[in-house]
Amino acid sequence: MNKLPVIAIDLGTTNCLTAIYDQNAHQPSIIKNKNGNKITPSIIQFDGENIIIGDEAKEAYEAGDVGCVTAFKRYMGSSSCCAYIGNKEYTAVELTTLLLKYLKDNVETVLQQPIYEVIITVPAYFRHKERQATLQAAKNAGLKVKMLINEPTAAALNYGIQHFRKNAKILVYDLGGGTFDVTLIEMSKENQINCLITKGNHILGGKDFDKCIFNYLVNQIYYDTGIDIKEYSGFINELMGRIEHIKMTLTNASKVKIKLNIPNYGVYRTELTNQEFENITSHLLDKTGVLCQDVLDELHYTWNDITDILLVGGSTRMPQVSKYLEKISGHKPITQVHPDEAVVLGAAIQSILPAPKYNVLSASSKPIANKNAIVQKEKPVTSVSAMRLNDVQAHPLGMIAVNEEGTHYINQNIIPPNQSIPVKCARKFKYYTSAQKNNEIDIYLLQGIGNIFDCEILNKYVISGIRHKEEGSTLIRVQYSYDVSGIVHIQARQEQDECDLPIREEPVPKDMSMFAKPITQNPDNQTTYVFEILDTSGSMFGEPIEEAKKAMIEFIDKLKGDHVYIGSMSVSNRTIITGNLTNHPLEAKQGIKKLYCGLGGFGNCTHPFDTVYKNMHALKGRRIAIILADGVWSYLEAAKKAAKRCIQDGIEIIAIGFGDADYDFLRSISSSDKNAMKVHQSQLVKSFGNIAQTISETSHSKFNNNEETKTWEAIGEK
Ligand code: AMP
């Protein structure tokens, strides 16, 4: 029987490509789309009943048509909706499913045969949740994923086939439409490519350069004409559609002339020079530079230890990227690979290579590459199938455990960062069984470095079916692994048993603050304190602020009670408390009524978390800050840091966004993913009512599930 080919899919934020390994020509080749283009834009247009995808959707987007959805890859891994079309909400997985189905149909038409198995490329810095979401979308689209491969590693594989140089250390700088990854690759042994380390930022890419141009033009127009174009949504759509073109023109020209037809004004002309573009985006390149330096520092390398810099991703075409890298590294980046095609071609090569075998993590750490080994002459690889690739998972895996003193919960490291994947590691736990109740263990897995609340809580796993032991305790052996796609798996056995214990996944509780408190603390105080915090910057003008205030009042109505104290606060350029914490609903509502657009300034230069901390730190009971914002704040790093201090203190932060609020921004300041919500303006009142209800329900049961977790402790690796 003729085996179906494995297809490579580069599933980009902005564009997608597909490829196949041509066994006759012994090389990978791109599969063009039905319009004869190698690239298919990752854009979907909902036009009434019709769903238009790819080239045609991009045309509609550039013309400013409504119903176009772009950059949804940025929302992968989040369960909240990322697009509202008509009355329907779409999650990133649903949108990605549509896109993958479209790519599948296209490839099947071109190849004239069905396809099933695929390799999909993902940003190296994607965590478990984003990877799992990608697998889910593929499954929904009727595709079986042979493996997810990191984009920079795939590009390095494609480059390595033609330019193999033993001992070379290649820094792959991958700046795409929505994500940035930096990966250090070593060409070791004959035909082997090892990924040593990878870091990244999955909300940094070409889209952010577009946003800078957009903001520049909004300000420039306001300065020249006094018109705030943000009030004209139709015009904004049209302008957004043109921004990418303006940016691309600057790649080959020193300036671009811009002519706009502004409503109620007429023709407006301006220009943007390359130098200005460089100036307004230099902070973005600096962010990439910091990550490159982190990669070098972690391996104790300097730029002199790097043989070459390989540029990947469409955004590396911007001239300032090479210029910047040459300035910080002293290396002129290699331009031999095609920034759009390298990733998918590498994935197609991987499709004919055997899957790597599992590494068993032992106490000895990963061998560090010999940075002083002499780089040998370039020698193209003659037998592609002899090539071997070792990839890594950037994020360490940990779990919530009790510290040795039994006083606090900690993030206990299981798999360190940048281990070659697939990798597995086993741990044993002493568990005290009971004859009276179900013997179950809750395991919370974490990805990230630092304490529990610096990490992403991946999942709650419940190990069940543990047999009661008369002697009181039993040993449970748990095996954690990252598979070849960087996805986490967990298995458990009791003592010497031959078969696995059942494990079920449960939603991570909304309230995880019990893990922030000392274990001996007796949290018997049921008083709940809530600060409702409203973004009162200029963009909230008109209906948005009125809707928001209605929602905040609804919250008070749903959460009233003697034991609930509610206060209100505004945040813009300053933070102002408009209502002190009170258990009188009428007084609490007075505080909300005092909120107005422009209170404390029209910008977003501050964050509320220092004020929250100051006013809630000493309170005993449940403490919650609910933030409602319609955009992203100017000093995000400071906000995140201050939010973290509140979370570590046990204050729960719920971040609700609408309008231009970015889900990743909301997630970065809230105390858990579930506490970050993007909602439509018309849904604000309902959402606030729901939150009040959830708070009322969880206030009574929140501390009950502690006991189980306290009874087990790590007793070291096998
Ligand atoms: P990728 O995700 O690798 O497909 O890269 C897409 C990103 O590359 C988008 O943000 C594009 O705007 C950007 N891009 C593509 N071509 C150019 C160009 N000639 N100049 C500047 N940016 C570009």
Side-chain angles (χ1 to χ4, degrees):
M1 199 176 84
N2 217 352
K3 208 169 161 273
L4 294 177
V6 179
I7 301 301
I9 301 179
D10 174 358
L11 189 60
T13 312
T14 323
N15 297 308
C16 294
L17 288 96
T18 50
I20 184 170
Y21 193 84
D22 184 337
Q23 300 278 4
N24 298 325
H26 301 289
Q27 60 182 29
S29 81
I30 304 269
I31 305 167
K32 292 182 180 172
N33 70 17
K34 63 179 173 13
N35 299 323
N37 296 325
K38 288 183 173 177
I39 286 175
T40 300
S42 313
I43 303 183
I44 303 179
Q45 189 197 14
F46 293 87
D47 182 15
E49 292 294 292
N50 293 331
I51 298 178
I52 301 157
I53 300 175
D55 295 323
E56 291 80 7
K58 183 165 185 176
E59 273 172 33
Y61 175 69
E62 285 179 345
D65 289 358
V66 290
C68 296
V69 193
T70 64
F72 38 88
K73 179 172 162 182
R74 283 189 162 186
Y75 297 88
M76 287 301 260
S78 113
S79 53
S80 64
C81 111
C82 76
Y84 296 87
I85 308 288
N87 286 331
K88 197 167 160 19
E89 298 180 350
Y90 292 88
T91 62
V93 169
E94 287 168 328
L95 296 167
T96 306
T97 301
L98 291 172
L99 181 59
L100 281 170
K101 263 190 197 149
Y102 178 82
L103 295 170
K104 175 178 186 276
D105 289 349
N106 196 77
V107 170
E108 287 179 339
T109 309
V110 174
L111 297 184
Q112 301 266 303
Q113 63 171 324
I115 62 160
Y116 178 50
E117 219 176 349
V118 291
I119 288 194
I120 299 179
T121 67
V122 289
Y125 216 60
F126 254 21
R127 293 171 191 254
H128 170 85
K129 279 188 186 163
E130 290 101 325
R131 288 168 191 265
Q132 217 176 25
T134 308
L135 292 188
Q136 186 60 51
K139 192 174 167 203
N140 297 348
L143 294 167
K144 177 175 174 238
V145 178
K146 183 177 178 192
M147 109 188 226
L148 300 176
I149 181 171
N150 292 336
E151 289 161 6
T153 319
L157 179 59
N158 177 52
Y159 174 77
I161 296 277
Q162 295 148 41
H163 305 279
F164 198 88
R165 261 183 305 164
K166 196 171 160 194
N167 298 328
K169 312 282 183 296
I170 314 285
L171 187 108
V172 186
Y173 180 98
D174 180 0
L175 188 61
T179 56
F180 171 69
D181 283 325
V182 51
T183 302
L184 191 57
I185 303 278
E186 174 207 35
M187 296 180 176
S188 75
K189 298 188 193 158
E190 294 309 322
N191 304 342
Q192 183 152 320
I193 291 184
N194 288 332
C195 177
L196 300 178
I197 181 170
T198 188
K199 286 188 179 285
N201 181 341
H202 65 214
I203 45 166
L204 175 61
K207 281 271 158 210
D208 299 287
F209 288 76
D210 298 351
K211 260 190 215 160
C212 290
I213 299 181
F214 178 79
N215 289 339
Y216 173 87
L217 287 176
V218 169
N219 287 335
Q220 195 66 29
I221 292 169
Y222 186 72
Y223 181 78
D224 290 340
T225 67
I227 294 176
D228 182 1
I229 58 158
K230 279 194 173 159
E231 287 169 18
Y232 303 113
S233 60
F235 178 71
I236 286 182
N237 273 349
E238 195 185 317
L239 182 58
M240 292 289 278
R242 285 182 57 189
I243 295 287
E244 193 184 30
H245 185 70
I246 293 172
K247 176 181 73 176
M248 289 186 179
T249 308
L250 283 173
T251 295
N252 298 312
S254 58
K255 67 178 175 194
V256 55
K257 292 193 168 169
I258 303 162
K259 184 177 152 197
L260 301 168
N261 214 338
I262 300 177
N264 298 334
Y265 178 83
V267 174
Y268 168 82
R269 289 172 207 274
T270 188
E271 62 180 35
L272 178 63
T273 65
N274 225 320
Q275 190 54 51
E276 273 160 338
F277 181 42
E278 237 179 276
N279 294 345
I280 61 174
T281 55
S282 63
H283 63 290
L284 297 175
L285 288 182
D286 284 340
K287 281 190 189 177
T288 69
V290 168
L291 286 168
C292 292
Q293 192 59 49
D294 284 352
V295 157
L296 298 179
D297 290 350
E298 228 162 90
L299 291 180
H300 307 291
Y301 276 38
T302 68
W303 282 110
N304 288 339
D305 299 313
I306 301 299
T307 319
D308 275 314
I309 300 177
L310 186 65
L311 297 183
V312 184
S315 296
T316 59
R317 288 201 178 90
M318 293 183 291
Q320 65 257 52
V321 172
S322 292
K323 213 165 121 188
Y324 175 78
L325 284 172
E326 199 172 341
K327 191 176 93 193
I328 62 167
S329 73
H331 293 275
K332 212 176 177 52
I334 308 171
T335 46
Q336 277 149 312
V337 304
H338 194 295
D340 296 325
E341 296 174 15
V343 168
V344 78
L345 293 175
I349 293 168
Q350 177 62 45
S351 74
I352 62 155
L353 305 184
K357 292 202 173 69
Y358 267 90
N359 297 302
V360 178
L361 200 69
S362 64
S364 58
S365 59
K366 195 183 166 195
I368 303 254
N370 179 3
K371 65 177 175 181
N372 298 322
I374 294 166
V375 179
Q376 308 209 341
K377 267 206 191 139
E378 186 172 306
K379 197 170 135 199
V381 173
T382 43
S383 165
V384 172
S385 57
M387 217 47 208
R388 291 294 173 266
L389 184 68
N390 278 323
D391 211 343
V392 293
Q393 163 57 275
H395 303 283
L397 183 70
M399 62 181 282
I400 298 182
V402 177
N403 67 351
E404 273 184 22
E405 298 77 30
T407 55
H408 286 87
Y409 293 105
I410 53 162
N411 168 15
Q412 186 174 51
N413 187 273
I414 301 169
I415 300 179
N418 293 303
Q419 290 298 314
S420 295
I421 51 171
V423 59
K424 55 187 172 188
C425 163
R427 291 284 171 99
K428 281 198 286 187
F429 298 97
K430 195 198 293 181
Y431 175 75
Y432 297 92
T433 63
S434 154
Q436 278 78 42
K437 61 180 173 72
N438 277 345
N439 288 300
E440 294 190 338
I441 303 179
D442 293 350
I443 294 202
Y444 291 91
L445 286 189
L446 309 168
Q447 263 184 330
I449 296 173
N451 77 42
I452 296 169
F453 295 96
D454 288 333
C455 299
E456 182 167 296
I457 300 171
L458 287 193
N459 250 332
K460 177 184 173 187
Y461 298 92
V462 182
I463 303 175
S464 60
I466 301 167
R467 294 183 310 282
H468 171 57
K469 290 272 170 178
E470 289 305 327
E471 57 268 37
S473 69
T474 183
L475 281 182
I476 306 293
R477 185 168 185 264
V478 185
Q479 181 173 280
Y480 309 86
S481 54
Y482 273 127
D483 68 14
V484 69
S485 299
I487 302 262
V488 176
H489 298 274
I490 171 169
Q491 281 170 285
R493 287 186 183 181
Q494 184 169 7
E495 299 188 336
Q496 305 306 321
D497 286 1
E498 295 280 295
C499 55
D500 290 348
L501 290 164
I503 298 183
R504 63 176 188 274
E505 286 184 28
E506 281 189 0
V508 176
K510 280 204 168 104
D511 179 14
M512 295 289 284
S513 62
M514 64 266 199
F515 293 116
K517 295 179 196 292
I519 289 169
T520 47
Q521 188 177 315
N522 178 19
D524 56 356
N525 195 335
Q526 286 295 314
T527 309
T528 302
Y529 299 96
V530 186
F531 257 117
E532 293 193 86
I533 304 163
L534 180 63
D535 180 341
T536 50
S537 62
S539 54
M540 290 286 290
F541 185 73
E543 219 177 272
I545 196 150
E546 293 315 322
E547 275 308 300
K549 285 166 70 175
K550 263 191 233 161
M552 292 164 88
I553 288 191
E554 167 81 357
F555 180 83
I556 297 173
D557 285 335
K558 286 264 157 66
L559 199 67
K560 61 187 170 203
D562 276 346
H563 64 291
V564 179
Y565 286 71
I566 300 174
S568 48
M569 210 186 282
S570 79
V571 59
S572 51
N573 285 342
R574 282 185 298 136
T575 312
I576 297 171
I577 295 182
T578 55
N580 287 320
L581 290 165
T582 169
N583 61 350
H584 293 290
L586 273 179
E587 274 180 28
K589 286 182 190 174
Q590 286 305 330
I592 306 252
K593 286 187 185 145
K594 285 185 199 155
L595 293 162
Y596 61 86
C597 180
L599 176 62
F602 285 90
N604 279 119
C605 293
T606 192
H607 60 77
F609 301 117
D610 289 341
T611 315
V612 166
Y613 185 83
K614 200 168 140 210
N615 285 275
M616 296 189 116
H617 170 62
L619 298 175
K620 297 261 178 302
R622 189 170 183 194
R623 297 158 302 155
I624 303 168
I626 303 183
I627 290 123
L628 180 57
D630 74 335
V632 177
W633 300 335
S634 309
Y635 298 101
L636 189 52
E637 287 312 312
K640 278 201 252 178
K641 213 168 143 204
K644 201 176 284 172
R645 181 167 70 140
C646 290
I647 296 163
Q648 281 167 356
D649 194 53
I651 300 170
E652 296 158 66
I653 300 176
I654 301 173
I656 303 167
F658 68 104
D660 281 338
D662 186 315
Y663 176 72
D664 287 300
F665 155 67
L666 300 168
R667 196 164 66 156
S668 70
I669 56 168
S670 64
S671 45
S672 74
D673 273 9
K674 293 261 166 65
N675 281 356
M677 284 161 248
K678 178 111 199 260
V679 300
H680 192 259
Q681 189 180 305
S682 61
Q683 298 290 313
L684 278 179
V685 173
K686 196 170 147 210
S687 304
F688 267 70
N690 290 344
I691 293 167
Q693 209 164 336
T694 313
I695 290 175
S696 305
E697 282 161 15
T698 53
S699 278
H700 304 295
S701 62
K702 64 192 281 259
F703 296 113
N704 293 349
N705 50 4
N706 248 356
E707 277 310 306
E708 214 86 90
T709 328
K710 262 195 276 177
T711 56
W712 51 267
E713 55 183 312
I715 58 165
E717 286 173 28
K718 193 181 178 185

